[in-house]
Amino acid sequence: MVTTLRNGFDPRNLILLFVTLLVSVGAWQGAWAQATCTTSRSVVAVGEAATETEAIAVAIAQAISQTRGFFVSAREYLKERFLATLREGRESAEYETEYYQEVVQRYSGLVLGYKVLNKATSVLGLKQIELEVQICLDPGILIVASEEFVSALKPLLPTYWKVYPQPPSKSTRELFDQGFALGASLIAEVKETVAFEDIRVQGQNLIRANLNGALSVYDLKTMEVVYSEPFRINGVGTTRKDAYQDALSKVVLRIAGPLTKFISDTPFTEQQQKSLVRILLSPVKRRSSVEAMKLRIEKLPFVTRLVGVDYAESEHRLSVVLELAEAGSACRLAEVFREQMSGIFRLQLRSCSDDLIDYLVIYE
């Protein structure tokens, strides 16, 4: 079909042909979207409404809801969005064309296609449509932030998640529409302001960036804010760009941990492969260092939970077991951990593998 488009066929005629053949024969719609989806699931759902097209919209919304765990509010929102183009009252072939574009193209991140299994009319005259709908299960997050912010945050998130960047210029409703269209599970909205000031440190002229803002995380299953955290971070550099980047690197380290936990808790994330890693630190001579470390470690990127802490005081050895959101991310964590612990320890990495990170404590 794509080749036909490239060879110059009229797209409107092609779409009309799609609708006529695929709805009547029962073939899959939206097959082109499958190339961008790595994991999907087929589910059967029934829709009932005044017209067949409306019943199809209801059935698709129901299929998405039962597959991806959407609450009633999200299911009804999707149904209303699917039906939006039908309320203009046109009784023509464009009816089906607009519906096809709305569902299969605009919402291709959710719906890969469907086929009609059965049609019936209720005793009240309502149309009943039974569909088999193919739903994409690839996890994704829509990050509403500046390009610099997204670029800094993305490497700290599990790689099996699709990251969709969006400049902060849309309303909340528009963000919901975009999130659903892409098949995202979460929306992370970052609002930030930055102010610069000249400072002098040890005889050197520097610039300080005061980065203030807040992170809000929306779960598209409920369409509600599930996490919110303000931030106020300073960065220093010889230029404004360097000062901003210094502050930004600290902010993304702070918010990547909470985002990782929400990502790993997504129930339909079949790609995820959690793993355990042990971190060894020695010599650690102060018990107070253990408590200070525990306060920071739970918010580290890649970490879903702190499994256990063992301090062998006689041997001055600290052992920490962590659960990671993604197998193979231990060595990425190793460098982040060293930076995050800089206020407590000065560390040198001895070795790193998928299940063990070993540090020499140079300064405590």
Side-chain angles (χ1 to χ4, degrees):
M1 297 302 180
V2 175
T3 303
T4 304
L5 281 172
R6 289 176 178 171
N7 288 340
F9 277 64
D10 186 337
R12 291 177 60 83
N13 292 337
L14 184 60
I15 292 172
L16 285 171
L17 180 60
F18 265 152
V19 174
T20 302
L21 291 176
L22 299 180
V23 173
S24 61
V25 178
W28 287 103
Q29 293 194 24
W32 62 273
Q34 296 182 35
T36 64
C37 182
T38 59
T39 304
S40 63
R41 181 181 302 159
S42 294
V43 63
V44 175
V46 177
E48 184 178 79
T51 68
E52 286 188 0
T53 309
E54 290 175 326
I56 291 174
V58 172
I60 293 176
Q62 177 64 32
I64 294 170
S65 177
Q66 83 181 62
T67 305
R68 300 189 64 159
F70 285 1
F71 283 33
V72 173
S73 56
R75 184 190 67 200
E76 291 301 306
Y77 183 90
L78 269 179
K79 184 185 74 175
E80 292 303 316
R81 298 308 297 156
F82 292 159
L83 294 174
T85 57
L86 305 179
R87 290 182 176 157
E88 299 175 7
R90 290 199 292 266
E91 298 291 343
S92 67
E94 292 184 7
Y95 229 49
E96 293 290 350
T97 301
E98 291 177 2
Y99 176 74
Y100 173 83
Q101 293 172 329
E102 178 78 16
V103 176
V104 179
Q105 293 185 7
R106 188 172 175 183
Y107 291 89
S108 61
L110 279 176
V111 182
L112 299 182
Y114 67 84
K115 57 183 177 182
V116 177
L117 300 179
N118 190 33
K119 296 182 181 182
T121 302
S122 72
V123 293
L124 299 177
L126 296 176
K127 302 298 181 180
Q128 296 175 332
I129 301 289
E130 183 181 23
L131 299 181
E132 181 181 355
V133 188
Q134 191 176 18
I135 307 298
C136 183
L137 297 182
D138 287 357
I141 181 169
L142 179 65
I143 301 180
V144 185
S146 66
E147 182 178 352
E148 295 89 346
F149 206 107
V150 176
S151 296
L153 179 59
K154 184 177 179 179
L156 301 176
L157 300 178
T159 58
Y160 60 82
W161 267 62
K162 295 179 179 178
V163 174
Y164 304 105
Q166 169 60 48
S169 60
K170 294 189 175 185
S171 67
T172 301
R173 183 181 179 87
E174 289 173 326
L175 292 177
F176 284 154
D177 285 346
Q178 185 175 6
F180 283 127
L182 294 168
S185 304
L186 301 173
I187 298 176
E189 185 176 21
V190 179
K191 296 181 179 179
E192 58 169 313
T193 60
V194 60
F196 299 96
E197 60 179 319
D198 296 326
I199 61 174
R200 191 170 180 83
V201 178
Q202 296 180 346
Q204 184 180 6
N205 293 325
L206 298 173
I207 296 175
R208 179 162 58 202
N210 302 305
L211 185 58
N212 300 326
L215 166 71
S216 298
V217 179
Y218 295 87
D219 188 339
L220 284 175
K221 296 195 304 292
T222 62
M223 299 178 64
E224 295 179 349
V225 175
V226 292
Y227 182 81
S228 181
E229 181 180 356
F231 55 81
R232 179 175 296 177
I233 301 291
N234 296 329
V236 177
T238 56
T239 66
R240 287 193 169 193
K241 181 179 180 180
D242 290 342
Y244 174 74
Q245 289 295 331
D246 183 45
L248 182 58
S249 65
K250 299 172 185 176
V251 170
V252 295
L253 283 174
R254 178 171 170 177
I255 69 176
L259 281 179
T260 296
K261 291 177 176 60
F262 283 113
I263 287 173
S264 64
D265 287 342
T266 303
F268 62 86
T269 303
E270 298 179 2
Q271 294 95 329
Q272 69 180 10
Q273 295 180 349
K274 294 181 180 179
S275 63
L276 297 180
V277 62
R278 182 181 301 275
I279 298 178
L280 296 178
L281 303 101
S282 64
V284 178
K285 300 177 182 179
R286 301 176 183 174
R287 181 170 289 276
S288 60
S289 297
V290 178
E291 297 303 318
M293 185 275 295
K294 287 173 61 177
L295 294 176
R296 294 193 181 194
I297 199 169
E298 291 183 338
K299 290 191 175 182
L300 282 173
F302 314 117
V303 176
T304 57
R305 66 187 178 99
L306 177 62
V307 178
V309 177
D310 179 36
Y311 178 50
E313 190 169 8
S314 61
E315 301 173 17
H316 304 305
R317 188 182 69 247
L318 177 62
S319 172
V320 181
V321 178
L322 304 173
E323 181 185 73
L324 304 185
E326 181 179 19
S329 59
C331 291
R332 285 191 291 160
L333 172 67
E335 183 58 30
V336 174
F337 182 88
R338 186 186 65 80
E339 294 178 8
Q340 285 289 80
M341 295 300 109
S342 60
I344 303 174
F345 304 126
R346 183 180 299 170
L347 305 176
Q348 178 181 325
L349 184 62
R350 284 182 173 132
S351 63
C352 176
S353 64
D354 288 343
D355 57 3
L356 179 64
I357 302 172
D358 188 8
Y359 292 102
L360 170 66
V361 180
I362 299 175
Y363 172 79
E364 180 182 355

